[in-house]
Amino acid sequence: MDHTTQTSAPRMQSVPQAFVSLFLGSAPDWYKLTILGFLVLNPIVLFTLGPFIAGWLLLAEFIFTLAMALKCYPLQPGGLLALEAIFLGMASPEIVYREVELNFPVLLLLMFMVAGIFFMRELLTFVFTKLFIKVNSKILLALLFCCAGALLSAFLDALTVIAVVITVATGLYGVYHAAASSFTDIDDPTTTDDNDQRRADLEQFRAFLRSIVMHAAVGTALGGVCTLVGEPQNLLIGKVMGWNFVDFFHHVSPVSMPVLATGLVTCWAVEQFKVFGFGASMPVSIRSIITAHDIEQGKTHDTAKTIRLFFQGIAAVFLVCGLGLHIAEVGLIGLSIIVFATAFTGIVEEKRIGPAFEEALPFTALLVVFFAIVAVIHEQHLFKPVIDLVLEQDGRHQLVFMYVANGLLSAISDNVFVATVYISATREAFEAAQIDRAQFDLLAVAINTGTNIPSVATPNGQAAFLFLLTSSLAPLIRLGYGQMFWMALPYTITMSTMGYIAVLYWL
């Protein structure tokens, strides 16, 4: 008898099985079926209930893809929904292109500024590692990151600040992961007691990093609302109103300053009382690993590293001065950082430059898909009933309605788009003598604060939050849509409430 072992042929998949396996890759089957269900449902709703209902359904579906970002990157499912909407005539390619063109500075920023920050990661890791080691108080560390996010965003831009925070947190996680790789797999279900402790420390470390990056992210909103250059919509509103930097700060400060104070108090409170996912400190074992790494790095600190840190420091100074003085578009400053930081640190091979763009380009593509959804909102006038309701009010009620409407719509849409729609409608009302100049000024403040403050409620409310959600850091520290929503909730409640009170009584 021939006992020769024969290699069995691989089992052939049926066509439906192969399709399900390939469609959206490793995403769960229930998620794939849900997206397919959306694609089937949308044309039915469009032709039976009309484009207005279909538009709101599309927006809800797109938010669902963002909420499931840890199951499947939103670019593919969200892109399929956007492509279908354009194919069905809910928005034209020309309108989508116009939205992209309008937001081109943001895309330029993502392509070049985030890559520029990548080439400064050695300096950022060096500086912030020492900060994490020396500051033992978690509350103080949280306030430092929140204040730093607010201060930098007031003069720079939120996406750049978040890119820095992501780089710092990823670097810190990388230090731990490099040391932990010599241990038994902490995710192995057959663990020893030591590995159980390591896994518990890892979960605590993830919670620690989640809280730090969320404090910094909310800080960007706190600072961004205050100044003319803090957010893109601020520049838009300032241009329409004819306000300079000082004028803008003066008009907005009755709302922005109380909200800033409220945000910082909230930061202290959630850490002090350890609620809403905050309060975790860095585990002692991991602090020891990071301290040991810092000591080891100090021993191997040679002349070449000193020169690299020196030129990265010059690049950092140029970055802050360039953004603060607005000498050029943010993206072009980022390109300058790439050229300078690589030329003087010996990074000249294409294979070493390419990875710098891997973080931002998928998100850049996702943002273009988001602009396609915004084009549908614009074309189908989804926000028109809310706009009409607001403009029908008068006096203080009009201000409050404007603030609330901008806040709610910005939490589910693009806050720049919402600000554009409302400031344009308000200007038309002013030019038609429906409101006087004093009311026009107050409404502009309500629009600005409404689009900046309550929009922290959801990750899709601000581009910086969405960038954080879809970054490579998010899966490392288990920061999903629901987790971001939960951790932002105390800030949303306290800051939005204080903003409401300020608009109602102090404007």
Side-chain angles (χ1 to χ4, degrees):
M1 180 180 294
D2 184 9
H3 295 287
T4 303
T5 303
Q6 295 182 351
T7 303
S8 59
R11 187 173 65 86
M12 293 293 292
Q13 289 182 313
S14 66
V15 172
Q17 287 175 328
F19 172 77
V20 171
S21 175
L22 291 172
F23 180 67
L24 297 183
S26 60
D29 288 345
W30 66 265
Y31 182 86
K32 298 178 181 183
L33 292 173
T34 301
I35 298 300
L36 288 173
F38 289 162
L39 295 172
V40 171
L41 179 63
N42 288 340
I44 296 174
V45 173
L46 176 65
F47 294 118
T48 56
L49 300 178
F52 186 82
I53 300 299
W56 276 106
L57 177 63
L58 175 69
L59 181 58
E61 291 167 350
F62 184 72
I63 292 173
F64 170 81
T65 67
L66 298 178
M68 295 291 109
L70 294 183
K71 300 292 184 184
C72 177
Y73 193 74
L75 174 62
Q76 289 78 18
L80 288 173
L81 294 171
L83 285 172
E84 182 185 55
I86 295 169
F87 179 77
L88 293 173
M90 297 176 71
S92 67
E94 292 76 19
I95 295 297
V96 174
Y97 181 79
R98 190 175 69 185
E99 289 292 339
V100 172
E101 189 176 33
L102 183 66
N103 289 278
F104 181 70
V106 178
L107 302 180
L108 201 65
L109 182 158
L110 286 167
M111 286 187 286
F112 295 134
M113 182 57 78
V114 175
I117 297 298
F118 178 88
F119 293 113
M120 294 168 55
R121 68 191 187 282
E122 188 176 17
L123 173 68
L124 293 171
T125 302
F126 176 79
V127 172
F128 281 92
T129 295
K130 294 188 180 299
L131 177 66
F132 279 108
I133 291 171
K134 294 184 181 301
V135 179
N136 292 314
S137 169
K138 174 62 187 307
I139 294 177
L140 179 58
L141 200 59
L143 287 170
L144 281 173
F145 269 81
C146 192
C147 289
L151 181 63
L152 291 174
S153 291
F155 297 98
L156 309 181
D157 68 273
L159 278 169
T160 301
V161 175
I162 288 297
V164 170
V165 172
I166 289 172
T167 301
V168 169
T170 304
L172 203 64
Y173 187 90
V175 169
Y176 166 74
H177 186 268
S181 61
S182 61
F183 303 148
T184 305
D185 185 2
I186 55 176
D187 290 323
D188 187 342
T190 59
T191 58
T192 63
D193 289 342
D194 285 344
N195 280 345
D196 285 341
Q197 183 59 49
R198 291 191 189 111
R199 187 166 59 247
D201 286 347
L202 174 59
E203 291 307 315
Q204 184 178 338
F205 186 48
R206 284 170 171 160
F208 169 79
L209 290 178
R210 282 197 301 267
S211 62
I212 290 296
V213 297
M214 282 302 296
H215 287 311
V218 173
T220 63
L222 288 171
V225 69
C226 296
T227 65
L228 182 65
V229 297
E231 293 284 351
Q233 65 267 29
N234 299 15
L235 284 168
L236 170 71
I237 293 169
K239 183 178 180 181
V240 170
M241 303 305 297
W243 293 342
N244 59 29
F245 190 95
V246 175
D247 292 335
F248 188 97
F249 181 83
H250 173 73
H251 280 96
V252 174
S253 59
V255 181
S256 62
M257 291 298 101
V259 168
L260 174 61
T262 301
L264 295 177
V265 171
T266 304
C267 177
W268 170 85
V270 294
E271 288 293 340
Q272 176 66 33
F273 298 106
K274 296 179 170 46
V275 291
F276 292 95
F278 294 98
S281 58
M282 186 186 298
V284 175
S285 61
I286 294 180
R287 180 180 290 277
S288 300
I289 289 172
I290 293 172
T291 302
H293 171 80
D294 186 59
I295 294 171
E296 185 64 28
Q297 289 296 303
K299 292 177 180 178
T300 59
H301 195 116
D302 56 12
T303 304
K305 183 172 182 178
T306 300
I307 292 174
R308 289 198 305 270
L309 292 176
F310 173 75
F311 281 107
Q312 288 178 26
I314 293 177
V317 172
F318 172 73
L319 171 67
V320 173
C321 293
L323 292 176
L325 298 174
H326 296 274
I327 61 175
E329 277 291 348
V330 177
L332 297 180
I333 295 174
L335 180 58
S336 303
I337 295 295
I338 293 172
V339 172
F340 184 86
T342 54
F344 288 96
T345 57
I347 302 174
V348 294
E349 298 86 4
E350 183 181 2
K351 64 181 180 181
R352 295 178 65 192
I353 296 172
F357 296 89
E358 292 176 359
E359 178 74 42
L361 285 184
F363 179 70
T364 305
L366 174 61
L367 210 55
V368 173
V369 170
F370 184 49
F371 295 147
I373 303 297
V374 170
V376 173
I377 296 172
H378 183 270
E379 283 288 275
Q380 303 306 324
H381 308 288
L382 300 188
F383 294 167
K384 189 176 186 303
V386 183
I387 295 171
D388 292 342
L389 176 64
V390 170
L391 293 179
E392 287 173 3
Q393 311 302 314
D394 53 24
R396 288 284 168 186
H397 291 293
Q398 191 176 52
L399 297 180
V400 170
F401 268 74
M402 185 68 81
Y403 172 81
V404 172
N406 275 267
L408 291 175
L409 297 179
S410 292
I412 61 173
S413 179
D414 173 34
N415 51 11
V416 178
F417 168 74
V418 173
T420 302
V421 169
Y422 272 95
I423 197 65
S424 299
T426 306
R427 179 174 56 184
E428 291 172 5
F430 171 67
E431 291 172 349
Q434 295 176 358
I435 56 175
D436 59 21
R437 177 67 199 199
Q439 185 71 357
F440 189 24
D441 287 345
L442 297 177
L443 286 171
V445 174
I447 293 169
N448 176 72
T449 52
T451 53
N452 277 294
I453 298 168
S455 57
V456 302
T458 63
N460 46 293
Q462 297 203 12
F465 280 46
L466 190 58
F467 182 42
L468 175 59
L469 173 68
T470 57
S471 69
S472 59
L473 174 67
L476 294 179
I477 62 174
R478 305 298 189 264
L479 185 63
Y481 191 101
Q483 186 69 45
M484 285 188 72
F485 174 83
W486 177 247
M487 296 182 78
L489 185 59
Y491 282 109
T492 304
I493 294 171
T494 58
M495 290 161 52
S496 299
T497 302
M498 178 54 71
Y500 179 92
I501 294 170
V503 168
L504 182 60
Y505 295 109
W506 300 332
L507 271 185

